[in-house]
């Protein structure tokens, strides 16, 4: 079983280039099912989650050409498609649920395995299904088989849909279903993440009529059919944030390239509050220079919220940083009910974090010690890598398959800015 060995090699220095966004490419790949023409997706990150989505689309009947060197995938769904993904595949990745909207819109039928909870929470899909139902779909649960089916006789119809929570996945799935519905769909209290805007831009390039993505209301005028397109996926803002924190936690000086500063404003703000210097750079202002060596870093408080609030996917990495600064900090996780699994592992390294209700209390002023730790989920694993870069001695990180789901070339990129990290089989 593979593991990472991480040692403190002092402040990180140099340049690192960010890959395409995992959480943008997955819904975009699923949405290729909406057209019979080939769709070319560029800046695709080489991730195991992308591989799983390829397997899922092929299991449905699409054909895929992959060239990870070039960061290019071509998806051709001009075939007789099956309406469901094999359970084994569906359960390997929650994002498989994002094929439901496109299949329902395209063929009037989709079945999926109910994606049980995961390490970070129960993660139901009730809001997705409520949206499909509002557009005329019939929803059938098969508890025994653990599946849910959505069917409709004839095309879906437009509807007014209010989301009880601005869910990213529900916004993406309902948007992908509504683009081929008859009439107008108005979605309210929707997610405003950059990945939503990227999906809407892609759908509009295919001939859809989506307006308002990036705001709390999206209007979609259904069209009869969609054509193929070519699209560059946005840079990964969570990978961006992770490398920004890597510079801070090692008190280094790193230039993070291929970024969209607007997508990481909350992270920039909190790093500056801690005492880092963060400057926009590059001719196109698509670079961020992060310096954690200007003055002593101090504690700050974090509360995770839907975008444009502080991203839950950066909570664990930031918590690792806050263990190493002067003074205490409080972190409150509001998006997922069980996203503190990394605390136990950081405490093995001497972090001394306590939890009280939804809050995590970080004392700060500790010298982390290398230890054997386990990655319990993707971002928790990233936090342990960052902690290992600042700890005394060696840190051994197990279950790194979680980390490799969401970070393309992490070891090489970190080594490129001076980190002592190795992947050991
Ligand atoms: C997306 O998950 C991301 N995944 C997650 O990133 C991210 O943490 C999350 O959005 C929030 O930003 C992908 O894009 C593939 P949600 P998603 O639906 O769509 C509740 C990572 O580390 N909810 O916005 O599943 C849900 O339980 C991953 O890259 C319902 O109650 O997130 C949660 O508490 C982890 N009913 C909250 O909403 C629903 O029908 C937010 O979930 C849907 C969601």
């Amino acid at each position: 079983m593979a593991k990472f060995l991480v040692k403190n090699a002092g402040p990180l220095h140099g340049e690192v280039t960010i890959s395409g966004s995992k959480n943008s490419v997955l819904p975009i790949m699923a949405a290729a099912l909406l057209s019979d023409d080939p769709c070319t997706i560029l800046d695709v990150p080489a991730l195991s989650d992308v591989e799983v989505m390829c397997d899922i689309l092929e299991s449905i009947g699409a054909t895929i050409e992959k060239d990870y060197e070039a960061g290019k995938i071509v998806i051709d769904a001009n075939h007789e498609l099956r309406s469901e993904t094999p359970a084994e595949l569906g359960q390997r990745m929650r994002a498989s649920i994002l094929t439901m909207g496109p299949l329902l819109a395209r063929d009037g039928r989709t079945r999926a395995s109910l994606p049980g909870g995961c390490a970070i929470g129960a993660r139901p899909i009730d809001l997705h299904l409520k949206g499909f139902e509002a557009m005329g779909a019939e929803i059938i649960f098969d508890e025994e088989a653990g599946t849910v089916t959505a069917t409709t006789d004839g095309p879906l119809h437009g509807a007014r849909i209010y989301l009880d929570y601005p869910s990213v996945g529900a916004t993406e799935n309902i948007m992908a279903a509504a683009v081929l519905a008859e009439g107008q769909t108005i979605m309210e209290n929707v997610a405003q993440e950059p990945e939503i805007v990227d999906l809407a831009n892609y759908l509009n390039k295919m001939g859809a009529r989506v307006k308002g993505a990036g705001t709390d209301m999206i209007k979609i005028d259904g069209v009869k059919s969609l054509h193929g397109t070519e699209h560059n996926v946005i840079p990964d803002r969570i990978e961006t944030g992770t490398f920004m924190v890597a510079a801070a936690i090692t008190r280094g000086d790193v230039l993070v390239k291929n970024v969209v500063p607007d997508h990481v404003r909350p992270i920039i703000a909190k790093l500056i509050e801690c005492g880092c210097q963060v400057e926009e750079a590059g001719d196109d202002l698509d670079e961020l220079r992060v310096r954690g060596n200007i003055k002593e870093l101090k504690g700050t408080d974090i509360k995770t919220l839907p975008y444009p609030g502080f991203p839950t996917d950066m909570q664990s990495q930031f918590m690792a940083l806050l263990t190493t600064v002067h003074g205490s900090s409080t972190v409150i996780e509001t998006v997922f009910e069980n996203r503190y699994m990394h605390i136990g592992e950081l405490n093995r390294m001497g972090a001394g974090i306590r939890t009280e209700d939804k809050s995590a209390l970080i004392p700060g002023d500790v010298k982390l010690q290398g230890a054997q730790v386990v990655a319990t989920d993707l971002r928790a694993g990233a936090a342990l890598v960052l902690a290992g870069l600042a700890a005394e001695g060696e840190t051994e990180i197990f279950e790194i398959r979680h980390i490799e789901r969401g970070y393309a070339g992490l070891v090489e990129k970190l080594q490129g800015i001076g980190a002592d990290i190795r992947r050991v089989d």
Side-chain angles (χ1 to χ4, degrees), residues 189-371:
N189 194 34
V190 295
Q192 303 177 35
E193 273 70 0
E195 295 77 26
I196 303 288
V197 177
D198 205 25
L199 176 61
N201 290 343
Y202 169 76
L203 291 169
N204 285 342
K205 277 188 197 169
M206 294 173 80
R209 297 169 57 197
V210 181
K211 292 196 188 74
T215 74
D216 64 357
M217 180 190 277
I218 293 176
K219 286 189 180 162
I220 302 154
D221 292 306
V223 295
K224 283 258 171 298
S225 65
L226 296 174
H227 51 74
T229 190
E230 183 171 286
H231 184 76
N232 292 75
V233 172
I234 56 174
D236 195 306
R237 64 192 168 96
I238 305 301
E239 186 193 12
T240 302
T242 303
F243 277 96
M244 293 170 74
V245 172
I249 203 169
T250 61
R251 309 302 188 263
D253 179 350
V254 174
L255 184 66
V256 187
K257 304 178 83 168
N258 187 34
V259 309
V260 181
D262 278 348
H263 291 173
V264 289
R265 291 284 170 222
I267 301 163
I268 294 173
K270 286 296 169 183
L271 283 173
I272 291 173
E273 268 180 32
C274 286
C276 292
Q277 193 180 74
V278 182
E279 293 160 329
E280 294 184 24
D283 300 343
D284 308 324
L285 292 183
D286 59 353
E287 302 173 359
L288 285 169
R289 182 175 180 189
V290 181
R291 304 178 65 182
N293 57 1
I294 303 294
K295 57 185 171 185
E296 182 183 34
L297 302 189
K298 58 182 175 48
T300 186
D301 296 335
I302 301 268
K303 185 176 186 177
T304 68
L305 289 166
Y307 191 90
F310 189 91
T312 173
D313 294 346
M314 279 301 302
Q315 179 254 99
S316 51
Q317 300 94 314
F318 228 91
M319 194 183 286
L321 168 64
L322 294 173
T323 66
T324 69
V325 303
H326 175 58
S328 65
S329 309
T330 301
V331 168
I332 302 176
E333 172 61 49
T334 75
V335 177
F336 290 104
E337 66 275 17
N338 185 35
R339 202 168 203 179
Y340 283 151
M341 304 285 278
H342 44 283
I343 292 180
E345 302 305 306
L346 289 172
N347 283 348
R348 285 174 194 279
M349 301 176 75
I353 302 167
R354 284 182 308 110
T355 53
E356 242 170 53
D357 192 19
K358 279 193 172 193
S359 304
L361 312 174
I362 302 121
D365 295 301
V366 300
K367 188 70 200 139
L368 294 173
Q369 302 300 317

Side-chain angles (χ1 to χ4, degrees), residues 52-87:
V52 175
M53 184 56 92
C54 289
D55 295 346
I56 287 168
L57 296 176
E58 283 171 338
S59 76
I60 288 172
T63 52
I64 300 186
E65 282 166 40
K66 287 177 258 184
D67 179 351
Y68 284 119
E69 279 299 303
K72 179 178 174 181
I73 280 183
V74 181
I75 300 169
D76 184 348
N78 186 12
H79 308 279
E80 187 71 28
L81 297 185
R82 281 176 284 284
S83 60
E84 77 175 290
T85 304

Side-chain angles (χ1 to χ4, degrees), residues 3 28 32 38 80 110 148 155 209 240 261 279 283 328 340 352 371 389 397 413-414:
K3 63 183 178 183
I28 282 175
E80 187 71 28
T110 178
V148 60
R209 297 169 57 197
T240 302
E279 293 160 329
D283 300 343
S328 65
Y340 283 151
L389 295 172
I397 305 173
K413 287 186 182 183
L414 281 170

Side-chain angles (χ1 to χ4, degrees), residues 22-24 26-27 49 93-95 97-98 118 120-130 165-172 191 193 195 236-238 305-307 311-313 334-337 339 377-379 405-407:
K22 168 182 81 78
N23 291 348
S24 202
L26 297 176
D49 270 11
M93 182 176 66
R94 294 187 54 74
I97 213 77
L98 297 171
C118 77
I120 65 177
R123 306 184 74 177
I125 59 166
D126 55 317
L127 300 176
H128 302 233
L129 302 175
K130 208 171 149 201
Y165 185 90
S167 151
V168 172
T171 302
E172 293 165 339
E193 273 70 0
E195 295 77 26
D236 195 306
R237 64 192 168 96
I238 305 301
L305 289 166
Y307 191 90
T312 173
D313 294 346
T334 75
V335 177
F336 290 104
E337 66 275 17
R339 202 168 203 179
D377 62 79
L378 166 58
R379 308 304 173 182
R405 288 186 41 221
Y407 290 94

